[in-house]
Amino acid sequence: MRNFAVKLAILAARIQGEDKPNPQAFLDLSPDEMLQRFQNILGRENCGVVMFAFSEQAILDILDQEFEVDVDRNVLMFRKTFLDAHSIRLAGAGRASSEGRPFTTTEQGLIRDLSRWLLEATRSLYRGDLSEKRMADIQDEYAENFRVYALKCITDYQPGAAEPLLRSLFTSLDSMLAFCHSLTVDAMFKADAAKVIFGDQSGYHQAWLRKQIFRHMMSRAVEDYIRTYVH
């Protein structure tokens, strides 16, 4: 089952202070059942922190695609040096996922235009020599951020319901800053959850801490960019 038993056993051993993981404790269970057993090990308080930031499916997807096992040290290693657009998509939006919730053609166009605008507004925060591939990945990440934000704000989404909200992000500084603030808070929650699951030395936890700081900087960059054109 994609090494879920081994990976969850490693995480459980860290939390329980055990020297060696016990994959047998998770064998013969479905991935959902494995995760339920791990949640029981976490305890109610820690489980609440984790589930506020990540859906159950997101946790399984992250374990499956973002981590590999270091068999010599019995630890999980984050495969990347930073969170790319795919990482953001896997992490999802807690209990509100954009998967299976199609946007209209107009909404998709607005999301695409907003992501282009946000990349331009925050370009000064990135190195000047970024490749076109990396720039496209950042824009893809921003687009996912807008999709997730729309679904968070509109709990009972129907096709076309997100259009007024998306348009307001173009016309209102307060609306855009509220969006940026929500990104920072989201990264804070995910950093806290990643610390609970993987430990404070995990590359994944550190990546979300850096994302939290960067998103805070985004708010200032966006405000400065808008005020430059307003004045």
Side-chain angles (χ1 to χ4, degrees):
M1 284 294 188
R2 297 178 292 188
N3 290 326
F4 282 142
V6 174
K7 291 178 178 179
L8 287 170
I10 289 173
L11 296 178
R14 184 191 67 80
I15 292 168
Q16 294 174 313
E18 299 173 349
D19 293 333
K20 294 183 64 177
N22 180 25
Q24 287 76 17
F26 294 89
L27 291 177
D28 299 325
L29 299 176
S30 69
D32 289 341
E33 291 170 335
M34 292 182 198
L35 184 58
Q36 181 62 56
R37 177 162 294 182
F38 176 69
Q39 289 171 329
N40 292 337
I41 293 171
L42 279 177
R44 177 171 300 190
E45 183 176 348
N46 283 336
C47 189
V49 172
V50 170
M51 299 313 299
F52 194 78
F54 299 113
S55 68
E56 293 181 349
Q57 186 59 52
I59 295 172
L60 292 174
D61 290 342
I62 290 165
L63 282 173
D64 182 33
Q65 301 184 42
E66 299 278 62
F67 284 87
E68 60 188 22
V69 177
D70 184 330
V71 294
D72 294 327
R73 295 189 296 154
N74 282 325
V75 296
L76 297 186
M77 302 296 295
F78 182 45
R79 291 190 174 109
K80 304 171 183 175
T81 57
F82 62 90
L83 299 166
D84 58 13
H86 185 63
S87 296
I88 300 300
R89 192 169 294 111
L90 286 178
R95 299 185 183 279
S97 172
S98 63
E99 294 182 5
R101 307 287 289 276
F103 290 90
T104 66
T105 301
T106 299
E107 290 170 335
Q108 291 172 357
L110 288 168
I111 289 170
R112 182 175 59 253
D113 292 343
L114 281 165
S115 65
R116 289 173 179 167
W117 180 92
L118 186 58
L119 180 57
E120 181 179 348
T122 60
R123 185 63 183 86
S124 62
L125 300 178
Y126 296 97
R127 294 198 332 258
D129 60 348
L130 286 182
S131 67
E132 290 187 7
K133 181 179 180 180
R134 177 62 182 132
M135 295 290 288
D137 186 75
I138 294 169
Q139 185 175 324
D140 190 22
E141 174 187 341
Y142 286 171
E144 180 66 11
N145 291 152
F146 284 116
R147 285 190 288 268
V148 165
Y149 182 68
L151 293 177
K152 279 185 175 180
C153 292
I154 304 170
T155 56
D156 185 22
Y157 176 77
Q158 299 295 328
E163 184 175 340
L165 172 67
L166 295 171
R167 291 192 183 279
S168 74
L169 294 171
F170 272 123
T171 59
S172 168
L173 173 60
D174 288 343
S175 294
M176 181 58 73
L177 292 181
F179 162 75
C180 292
H181 177 68
S182 77
L183 293 185
T184 303
V185 172
D186 178 67
M188 179 182 69
F189 289 146
K190 285 181 168 55
D192 289 345
K195 179 179 179 180
V196 169
I197 301 174
F198 303 106
D200 57 5
Q201 298 304 310
S202 166
Y204 192 70
H205 167 62
Q206 296 296 324
W208 275 110
L209 280 180
R210 292 192 297 273
K211 183 65 73 174
Q212 178 184 339
I213 294 170
F214 183 83
R215 286 178 173 179
H216 179 72
M217 295 167 59
M218 279 177 59
S219 296
R220 176 58 64 87
V222 165
E223 184 172 7
D224 290 345
Y225 184 83
I226 292 176
R227 293 194 186 282
T228 296
Y229 283 93
V230 170
H231 294 93

PDB file of all heavy atoms in Angstrom, residues 5 12 16 84 86 126 139 158 207-208:
ATOM      1  N   ALA A   5       2.322   1.727   5.612  1.00  0.00           N
ATOM      2  CA  ALA A   5       2.569   1.078   6.898  1.00  0.00           C
ATOM      3  C   ALA A   5       3.927   1.470   7.456  1.00  0.00           C
ATOM      4  O   ALA A   5       4.066   1.784   8.646  1.00  0.00           O
ATOM      5  CB  ALA A   5       2.469  -0.443   6.754  1.00  0.00           C
ATOM      6  N   ALA A  12       4.846   7.218  13.969  1.00  0.00           N
ATOM      7  CA  ALA A  12       4.321   6.802  15.273  1.00  0.00           C
ATOM      8  C   ALA A  12       5.457   6.572  16.265  1.00  0.00           C
ATOM      9  O   ALA A  12       5.356   6.946  17.447  1.00  0.00           O
ATOM     10  CB  ALA A  12       3.486   5.540  15.118  1.00  0.00           C
ATOM     11  N   GLN A  16       5.923   8.408  19.887  1.00  0.00           N
ATOM     12  CA  GLN A  16       5.895   7.583  21.090  1.00  0.00           C
ATOM     13  C   GLN A  16       7.267   7.445  21.755  1.00  0.00           C
ATOM     14  O   GLN A  16       7.380   6.819  22.812  1.00  0.00           O
ATOM     15  CB  GLN A  16       5.340   6.198  20.750  1.00  0.00           C
ATOM     16  CG  GLN A  16       3.871   6.233  20.323  1.00  0.00           C
ATOM     17  CD  GLN A  16       3.355   4.879  19.856  1.00  0.00           C
ATOM     18  OE1 GLN A  16       4.007   4.202  19.063  1.00  0.00           O
ATOM     19  NE2 GLN A  16       2.194   4.482  20.351  1.00  0.00           N
ATOM     20  N   ASP A  84       6.414  23.478  -4.109  1.00  0.00           N
ATOM     21  CA  ASP A  84       6.033  23.930  -5.442  1.00  0.00           C
ATOM     22  C   ASP A  84       4.516  23.876  -5.591  1.00  0.00           C
ATOM     23  O   ASP A  84       3.789  23.586  -4.635  1.00  0.00           O
ATOM     24  CB  ASP A  84       6.737  23.109  -6.515  1.00  0.00           C
ATOM     25  CG  ASP A  84       6.447  21.616  -6.410  1.00  0.00           C
ATOM     26  OD1 ASP A  84       5.513  21.227  -5.661  1.00  0.00           O
ATOM     27  OD2 ASP A  84       7.137  20.827  -7.072  1.00  0.00           O
ATOM     28  N   HIS A  86       2.663  21.758  -7.046  1.00  0.00           N
ATOM     29  CA  HIS A  86       2.118  20.424  -6.786  1.00  0.00           C
ATOM     30  C   HIS A  86       1.992  20.180  -5.284  1.00  0.00           C
ATOM     31  O   HIS A  86       1.008  19.585  -4.827  1.00  0.00           O
ATOM     32  CB  HIS A  86       3.012  19.368  -7.423  1.00  0.00           C
ATOM     33  CG  HIS A  86       2.485  17.968  -7.312  1.00  0.00           C
ATOM     34  ND1 HIS A  86       1.305  17.562  -7.880  1.00  0.00           N
ATOM     35  CD2 HIS A  86       2.972  16.881  -6.659  1.00  0.00           C
ATOM     36  CE1 HIS A  86       1.085  16.291  -7.618  1.00  0.00           C
ATOM     37  NE2 HIS A  86       2.077  15.855  -6.864  1.00  0.00           N
ATOM     38  N   TYR A 126      11.137  37.589  -5.737  1.00  0.00           N
ATOM     39  CA  TYR A 126      11.849  36.439  -6.289  1.00  0.00           C
ATOM     40  C   TYR A 126      13.158  36.873  -6.944  1.00  0.00           C
ATOM     41  O   TYR A 126      13.318  38.045  -7.327  1.00  0.00           O
ATOM     42  CB  TYR A 126      10.981  35.726  -7.333  1.00  0.00           C
ATOM     43  CG  TYR A 126       9.705  35.125  -6.782  1.00  0.00           C
ATOM     44  CD1 TYR A 126       8.495  35.813  -6.872  1.00  0.00           C
ATOM     45  CD2 TYR A 126       9.698  33.871  -6.181  1.00  0.00           C
ATOM     46  CE1 TYR A 126       7.315  35.263  -6.379  1.00  0.00           C
ATOM     47  CE2 TYR A 126       8.525  33.317  -5.690  1.00  0.00           C
ATOM     48  CZ  TYR A 126       7.338  34.015  -5.785  1.00  0.00           C
ATOM     49  OH  TYR A 126       6.177  33.480  -5.290  1.00  0.00           O
ATOM     50  N   GLN A 139       3.039  30.793 -10.868  1.00  0.00           N
ATOM     51  CA  GLN A 139       1.719  31.236 -11.312  1.00  0.00           C
ATOM     52  C   GLN A 139       0.681  30.136 -11.100  1.00  0.00           C
ATOM     53  O   GLN A 139      -0.464  30.413 -10.692  1.00  0.00           O
ATOM     54  CB  GLN A 139       1.757  31.638 -12.779  1.00  0.00           C
ATOM     55  CG  GLN A 139       0.429  32.215 -13.272  1.00  0.00           C
ATOM     56  CD  GLN A 139       0.492  32.719 -14.701  1.00  0.00           C
ATOM     57  OE1 GLN A 139       1.515  33.266 -15.125  1.00  0.00           O
ATOM     58  NE2 GLN A 139      -0.572  32.527 -15.450  1.00  0.00           N
ATOM     59  N   GLN A 158     -21.911  26.880  -6.092  1.00  0.00           N
ATOM     60  CA  GLN A 158     -22.628  26.537  -7.311  1.00  0.00           C
ATOM     61  C   GLN A 158     -21.907  27.213  -8.470  1.00  0.00           C
ATOM     62  O   GLN A 158     -21.273  28.252  -8.285  1.00  0.00           O
ATOM     63  CB  GLN A 158     -24.080  27.032  -7.241  1.00  0.00           C
ATOM     64  CG  GLN A 158     -24.884  26.430  -6.107  1.00  0.00           C
ATOM     65  CD  GLN A 158     -25.089  24.937  -6.269  1.00  0.00           C
ATOM     66  OE1 GLN A 158     -25.181  24.432  -7.382  1.00  0.00           O
ATOM     67  NE2 GLN A 158     -25.157  24.224  -5.145  1.00  0.00           N
ATOM     68  N   ALA A 207       9.720  24.028   5.394  1.00  0.00           N
ATOM     69  CA  ALA A 207       9.223  24.607   4.143  1.00  0.00           C
ATOM     70  C   ALA A 207       7.947  25.409   4.377  1.00  0.00           C
ATOM     71  O   ALA A 207       7.754  26.481   3.787  1.00  0.00           O
ATOM     72  CB  ALA A 207       8.975  23.503   3.117  1.00  0.00           C
ATOM     73  N   TRP A 208       7.066  24.913   5.248  1.00  0.00           N
ATOM     74  CA  TRP A 208       5.840  25.658   5.536  1.00  0.00           C
ATOM     75  C   TRP A 208       6.125  26.899   6.381  1.00  0.00           C
ATOM     76  O   TRP A 208       5.441  27.929   6.228  1.00  0.00           O
ATOM     77  CB  TRP A 208       4.812  24.765   6.220  1.00  0.00           C
ATOM     78  CG  TRP A 208       3.992  23.979   5.240  1.00  0.00           C
ATOM     79  CD1 TRP A 208       4.022  22.643   5.009  1.00  0.00           C
ATOM     80  CD2 TRP A 208       3.032  24.517   4.310  1.00  0.00           C
ATOM     81  NE1 TRP A 208       3.151  22.305   4.009  1.00  0.00           N
ATOM     82  CE2 TRP A 208       2.521  23.434   3.561  1.00  0.00           C
ATOM     83  CE3 TRP A 208       2.566  25.803   4.047  1.00  0.00           C
ATOM     84  CZ2 TRP A 208       1.556  23.602   2.559  1.00  0.00           C
ATOM     85  CZ3 TRP A 208       1.597  25.964   3.050  1.00  0.00           C
ATOM     86  CH2 TRP A 208       1.104  24.882   2.328  1.00  0.00           C
TER      87      TRP A 208
END
